[in-house]
Amino acid sequence: MKPLRVFFTGVGGQGTLTATKLLAETALDQGVEVNAGEIHGMAQRGGVVHSFVLLGGYASPKISLGEAHVLLGFEPMETLRALPFIAKDGLVLSSEDPVPPISVTTGREEYPSIDLVKSETLKCSPRAKFLPCLSLAKETGVVQTANTVLMGAFFSMGVLPFGLDILLESIEKRLKPKLVDVNLKAARLGAEYITRDK
Amino acid sequence: MNLLDPKGEVRELLLGNEAIVRGALEAGVGFISCYPGTPSSEVPDTFFRLSARGSYYFEYAPNEKVAMETAGAAALGGVPTLVTMKHVGVNVAADPMMTLAYIGTPGGLVILSADDPGCHSSQNEQDNRYYARLAGLPCFEPSSAQECKDMAKEAMELSAKWQQPVLLRTTTRINHLRGPVDFGPMKPAKTRGEFKKDPGRFVPIPAVARIRHKVLTSNLENIRSEIENCSWNKSWGEGKVGVIASGVSRSYLKDVLKSNPAIKVKVLELGIAWPLPENTIKNFLKGLDKVVILEELEPILENDVRVLCQKNGLTLEVTGKGEELPLWDEYSTLCVEQALAKATGIEIKTQELCNPDLAALPSRPPNLCAGCSHRSVYVNTRKIFGDDAIYSSDIGCYTLGILPPLRSADFLLCMGSSVSSGCGMSRVVDNPVIAFIGDSTFFHSGVTGLINAVYNDYDLIVVILDNRTTAMTGHQPHPGVDQALYGLRPGNIEIEPLVKASGVQHVKKVKALNQKAVSTALEEFKEMKGVRVLIAEDPCPLYAKKVLGIKRTKVATIKTSGPASLECLNTLACPAFFKDGETVGVNQDACAGCMVCVQICDEIKPGSRS
């Protein structure tokens, strides 16, 4: 396969690291060379989380500015902040549902408009796609599955050397039994949304 | 994944820290001690999680010095031993560590030091390769998950063979990477040994220490010849420009060379760079015009190579630290690429970056969780003492109280320092001084500061923020936590009697979430002199849910949103609150049900969770 660097950005508590691990383990199961890394600063909820999955034979556990072939954004403002990591012709796939930081919830600062996030992103990545991850996750009854919604969409875009069916297998194999059904549903919702959008 | 599988022959995706565990298990580790600290914590956490099924002995120590002393003695007793900590933890453990290198460790002792270039979760980015040189410890530096496993195993074996403690030095990237690891067979854990008495070796009175210092240097010479030709130190590639790389820089180098075939260099990878494999390096340098040294943080190898060149009359150009390769932060493929382009004179097209204007974006600092009992105490303390008091802070979640509106951290030195340094401050300024310390931190080394405070008659209010766990590093137990919670022998050490036994006259214990109780105690303390200790206890909400199984049924509801709820939002900065125009709302999914807001604001009432 063509080597692929996937950059994950999100907010602590969103399940960004679970999604990262799921992709890396899926790659291992599929015999794809894989290396992954995560940086979550202080182990508190609410801070920025960056993580990385490197497929196809990289040694480094990190992605530098301008190196990400794919940017997966679990939170739109963090997607915007991470745009300098995107390589030329890179693909952005992001949630469009904000998780506002404390400065915004207390009314001291203003959250950027989603239209601005989208237009700036499209300048960097003309193929960029946005999904209402939180509203789709709510349809499963468990709002915490928003991360899997995004992964469902990602796996069905044809960028990875494996598709949605493999993600569904991985969810059954790798997640705790009580979390499997809602996450299968979430992955399918993300996939349906992105393919319908095509 | 079965980390305890004795056969191996499988391939698993492991966190660097999990791989270290497997490596130690393969070497037959029998005794493990630690103090948790990011990025090292998953090593002891994994041993702890597996301990019911594993045949090794594992414990959490109250601090790194205790961990080192306990582990050192287990190794003296002939048992293969591992002790783990983060880089700054080695400072705490340095005293016994220095002497363990002299007397040696017959069973084998590996010291894991997890360094943190980039200060992802630390107060400094000290380079502990200096400790290897200072103490005389052979030093392994893995660059992948597989190497974490293999090096942990080899380090244990090398240590046992030469009876010398060995440093396994990782960095945050390595601890927290995930990569495939091939398992090897696991030796049975050796948990019992034999201590062969030899006071002339193991009791380092001056006459003994003088001799042992020479033994240490001669042992290091033997180890040096052994590592000269080991598979971790290897050369490959061609060219007149050489590159010597250690640690994670080896991985960045490989990726840069792969993506830039025009760059032709000769490479020397050093997986064990101390004791310095002098012959290997000397042979590598011969015939080169130039050598670039790739190492994060300090120019340690670079200086070693310069010395080697001078000793051997080599005149090649040595480059390292500079514009592309700074003395701080982590390296990356980007900086390594720039450094190599400069050294080889090959032009590399710089990647055009997307550069949206990010300056105006709201920042996203980490915040105390919704329902955190520290927030409750901070809000109350500030209400009573305001800006007049000086707040001495410590290492833990509660350091996040630094940010407005809480602003309850004015200075901080290191783990366990808030009581002692609060004392020093109180003697030289007229302001009241309040020291905040956590429960794990109190046991770590706060209690000695408290003893000093009483003995030397200081004026200090100490607030022990007791959330019943070591919250920041991932909820590890400490001596204050009842081990029965983990299915172990019941028992714990209570903080209150310990404080009293230290001679403190004014001690109060309250529920941290009870605003009235906290403020009554603090108001009373405000009028007194001497050492006053408030123990504010309430479990960390994440821990309460995950480990204690406590479900909070209440949720905060805004009855009518007016100026009071707006003020409450600005006072607490609770992540469950949000401002919507001029009204305030509470996100029910985020609210932890602590009910602190209900106590300070008439417009908020407890409701039932829907």
Side-chain angles (χ1 to χ4, degrees):
Chain A
M1 68 167 285
K2 204 172 149 237
L4 197 70
R5 288 182 167 121
V6 186
F7 188 106
F8 295 65
T9 182
V11 175
Q14 276 195 305
T16 309
L17 296 180
T18 310
T20 310
K21 196 175 162 197
L22 192 63
L23 174 58
E25 285 176 337
T26 306
L28 186 82
D29 290 345
Q30 298 301 311
V32 171
E33 279 190 87
V34 61
N35 200 4
E38 57 197 56
I39 287 294
H40 37 87
M42 296 199 281
Q44 284 302 293
R45 292 179 174 235
V48 182
V49 174
H50 283 172
S51 54
F52 322 93
V53 174
L54 301 111
L55 301 168
Y58 292 102
S60 321
K62 180 183 175 184
I63 296 176
S64 296
L65 294 175
E67 283 187 345
H69 302 111
V70 178
L71 169 63
L72 293 182
F74 292 77
E75 201 287 330
M77 185 169 79
E78 296 316 320
T79 301
L80 180 55
R81 218 193 296 271
L83 286 178
F85 286 97
I86 272 286
K88 201 166 177 285
D89 306 322
L91 169 72
V92 177
L93 179 66
S94 172
S95 166
E96 61 183 23
D97 296 327
V99 180
I102 197 81
S103 58
V104 171
T105 53
T106 52
R108 283 180 286 116
E109 288 186 279
E110 215 174 303
Y111 195 91
S113 81
I114 290 301
D115 286 343
L116 176 87
V117 173
K118 287 184 178 173
S119 64
E120 287 293 333
T121 304
L122 285 165
K123 277 190 222 162
C124 288
S125 168
R127 297 181 289 150
K129 298 274 183 219
F130 283 82
L131 282 89
C133 291
L134 281 177
S135 7
L136 289 173
K138 276 184 188 147
E139 287 182 34
T140 71
V142 181
V143 69
Q144 284 83 359
T145 58
N147 58 344
T148 312
V149 171
L150 196 72
M151 295 307 276
F154 180 41
F155 273 68
S156 50
M157 288 178 84
V159 182
L160 290 167
F162 29 76
L164 180 69
D165 47 333
I166 300 294
L167 173 65
L168 300 179
E169 269 177 34
S170 246
I171 288 172
E172 292 207 38
K173 182 178 165 193
R174 299 282 185 178
L175 296 192
K176 282 185 198 151
K178 64 171 187 178
L179 299 176
V180 167
D181 284 343
V182 281
N183 278 287
L184 288 176
K185 193 170 175 194
R188 289 198 184 102
L189 283 170
E192 270 166 38
Y193 186 90
I194 214 78
T195 38
R196 187 176 53 207
D197 195 42
K198 258 182 199 165
Chain B
M1 170 175 63
N2 179 11
L3 280 173
L4 294 169
D5 179 6
K7 288 195 308 293
E9 292 167 14
V10 291
R11 191 168 210 231
E12 293 281 359
L13 191 75
L14 295 192
L15 202 60
N17 280 342
E18 294 167 338
I20 290 170
V21 170
R22 176 68 197 185
L25 289 170
E26 287 184 8
V29 68
F31 188 102
I32 306 108
S33 189
C34 73
Y35 185 77
T38 314
S40 76
S41 307
E42 294 87 356
V43 176
D45 289 0
T46 306
F47 277 114
F48 184 47
R49 182 165 52 81
L50 300 173
S51 55
R53 291 188 289 127
S55 37
Y56 51 83
Y57 176 78
F58 169 82
E59 71 183 23
Y60 287 107
N63 70 30
E64 296 85 356
K65 181 172 183 284
V66 173
M68 183 72 73
E69 288 159 349
T70 315
L76 288 181
V79 167
T81 298
L82 176 67
V83 59
T84 76
M85 58 201 68
K86 68 183 293 177
H87 61 331
V88 290
V90 179
N91 301 334
V92 180
D95 200 359
M97 183 177 78
M98 301 299 293
T99 302
L100 278 165
Y102 274 34
I103 64 178
T105 45
L109 174 67
V110 172
I111 300 157
L112 170 68
S113 162
D115 290 13
D116 191 14
C119 289
H120 294 289
S121 56
S122 309
Q123 63 269 42
N124 73 32
E125 45 184 348
Q126 69 186 47
D127 189 333
N128 279 9
R129 292 179 300 158
Y130 277 132
Y131 269 119
R133 281 132 174 102
L134 178 64
L137 308 171
C139 178
F140 286 67
E141 295 174 71
S143 75
S144 68
Q146 182 71 51
E147 288 185 5
C148 281
K149 195 277 275 177
D150 293 338
M151 282 190 173
K153 175 169 176 276
E154 267 197 48
M156 306 265 344
E157 288 166 354
L158 184 86
S159 176
K161 178 177 173 187
W162 295 102
Q163 304 197 0
Q164 286 296 141
V166 170
L167 191 67
L168 178 62
R169 188 258 189 179
T170 55
T171 52
T172 304
R173 284 286 163 193
I174 300 304
N175 297 96
H176 287 166
L177 64 75
R178 267 177 217 282
V181 177
D182 291 317
F183 286 17
M186 203 167 101
K187 270 201 222 163
K190 183 176 184 327
T191 55
R192 306 291 295 171
E194 191 192 348
F195 178 56
K196 296 199 179 76
K197 287 189 183 192
D198 184 359
R201 172 178 175 187
F202 296 124
V203 185
I205 54 171
V208 171
R210 277 180 217 121
I211 296 165
R212 292 306 302 178
H213 193 184
K214 288 178 192 156
V215 175
L216 168 62
T217 52
S218 105
N219 276 350
L220 285 176
E221 282 312 311
N222 290 329
I223 295 170
R224 190 199 306 276
S225 0
E226 186 168 327
I227 64 161
E228 289 277 9
N229 300 309
C230 77
S231 59
W232 297 117
N233 296 334
K234 55 176 183 273
S235 174
W236 43 275
E238 295 293 332
K240 286 291 194 189
V241 177
V243 182
I244 301 179
S246 76
V248 70
S249 311
R250 294 189 280 136
S251 294
Y252 299 138
L253 175 66
K254 283 173 196 164
D255 283 348
V256 168
L257 294 180
K258 207 169 175 181
S259 59
N260 295 282
I263 300 179
K264 301 271 186 241
V265 289
K266 198 173 152 195
V267 175
L268 176 61
E269 280 191 63
L270 293 181
I272 311 174
W274 192 258
L276 194 72
E278 289 185 359
N279 285 326
T280 309
I281 297 176
K282 220 160 53 189
N283 292 334
F284 175 77
L285 294 176
K286 277 181 192 150
L288 293 180
D289 294 337
K290 194 188 274 185
V291 64
V292 184
I293 317 292
L294 297 178
E295 58 188 324
E296 287 179 331
L297 300 178
E298 296 292 316
I300 297 179
L301 268 183
E302 182 184 337
N303 291 341
D304 285 342
V305 170
R306 286 182 196 281
V307 169
L308 210 63
C309 287
Q310 199 276 342
K311 269 197 202 161
N312 293 282
L314 299 171
T315 54
L316 77 166
E317 188 187 333
V318 180
T319 65
K321 293 293 163 186
E323 204 183 326
E324 289 84 15
L325 303 171
L327 279 150
W328 48 82
D329 208 349
E330 294 183 284
Y331 279 8
S332 62
T333 48
L334 204 63
C335 75
V336 169
E337 187 178 70
Q338 284 164 350
L340 293 195
K342 196 173 174 185
T344 53
I346 286 170
E347 227 174 285
I348 286 170
K349 216 170 137 249
T350 47
Q351 185 73 252
E352 267 178 59
L353 298 184
C354 279
N355 265 326
D357 182 11
L358 303 174
L361 283 190
S363 62
R364 195 187 291 275
N367 186 10
L368 294 174
C369 301
C372 175
S373 55
H374 303 333
R375 174 179 288 106
S376 165
V377 178
Y378 282 156
V379 164
N380 219 311
T381 313
R382 278 210 72 87
K383 198 173 70 196
I384 294 164
F385 291 91
D387 285 336
D388 184 36
I390 295 177
Y391 300 106
S392 176
S393 192
D394 219 299
I395 305 277
C397 291
Y398 47 93
T399 323
L400 296 174
I402 185 175
L403 294 174
L406 303 174
R407 286 174 291 139
S408 359
D410 291 321
F411 68 103
L412 163 66
L413 301 183
C414 63
M415 191 130 201
S417 69
S418 71
V419 183
S420 322
S421 56
C423 286
M425 184 64 75
S426 76
R427 190 128 295 172
V428 299
V429 298
D430 296 330
N431 317 58
V433 178
I434 298 173
F436 292 110
I437 191 161
D439 41 342
S440 181
T441 318
F442 178 74
F443 286 110
H444 179 278
S445 50
V447 64
T448 44
L450 187 65
I451 290 166
N452 181 58
V454 173
Y455 187 67
N456 287 311
D457 193 21
Y458 278 97
D459 272 332
L460 181 74
I461 295 175
V462 176
V463 180
I464 302 176
L465 298 159
D466 182 2
N467 65 3
R468 312 303 301 142
T469 186
T470 319
M472 180 156 249
T473 45
H475 302 122
Q476 293 83 1
H478 59 65
V481 177
D482 189 348
Q483 302 187 81
L485 271 172
Y486 299 94
L488 303 171
R489 177 188 62 82
N492 66 310
I493 316 290
E494 289 295 333
I495 293 177
E496 191 178 5
L498 188 55
V499 169
K500 286 182 175 159
S502 303
V504 181
Q505 301 291 321
H506 310 295
V507 186
K508 290 217 174 286
K509 185 171 165 181
V510 296
K511 286 278 167 209
L513 295 176
N514 184 333
Q515 291 295 291
K516 197 167 170 213
V518 173
S519 70
T520 308
L522 287 175
E523 292 282 11
E524 205 177 302
F525 280 174
K526 197 177 179 182
E527 306 309 319
M528 296 176 175
K529 289 280 175 203
V531 181
R532 293 142 281 171
V533 176
L534 175 64
I535 304 164
E537 184 191 287
D538 253 314
C540 157
L542 301 181
Y543 175 73
K545 201 170 147 191
K546 208 167 72 180
V547 181
L548 306 177
I550 296 172
K551 283 194 181 121
R552 290 198 189 269
T553 50
K554 297 278 180 226
V555 66
T557 49
I558 310 275
K559 212 172 141 208
T560 44
S561 179
S565 48
L566 208 57
E567 196 191 319
C568 181
L569 167 136
N570 286 319
T571 310
L572 288 178
C574 172
F577 280 64
F578 60 90
K579 198 173 164 218
D580 186 9
E582 281 316 299
T583 63
V584 174
V586 172
N587 177 347
Q588 289 220 351
D589 291 330
C591 175
C594 72
M595 298 294 112
V596 167
C597 55
V598 172
Q599 297 170 58
I600 64 172
C601 175
D602 288 342
E603 294 171 5
I604 307 174
K605 299 289 171 205
S608 296
R609 216 167 261 287
S610 53

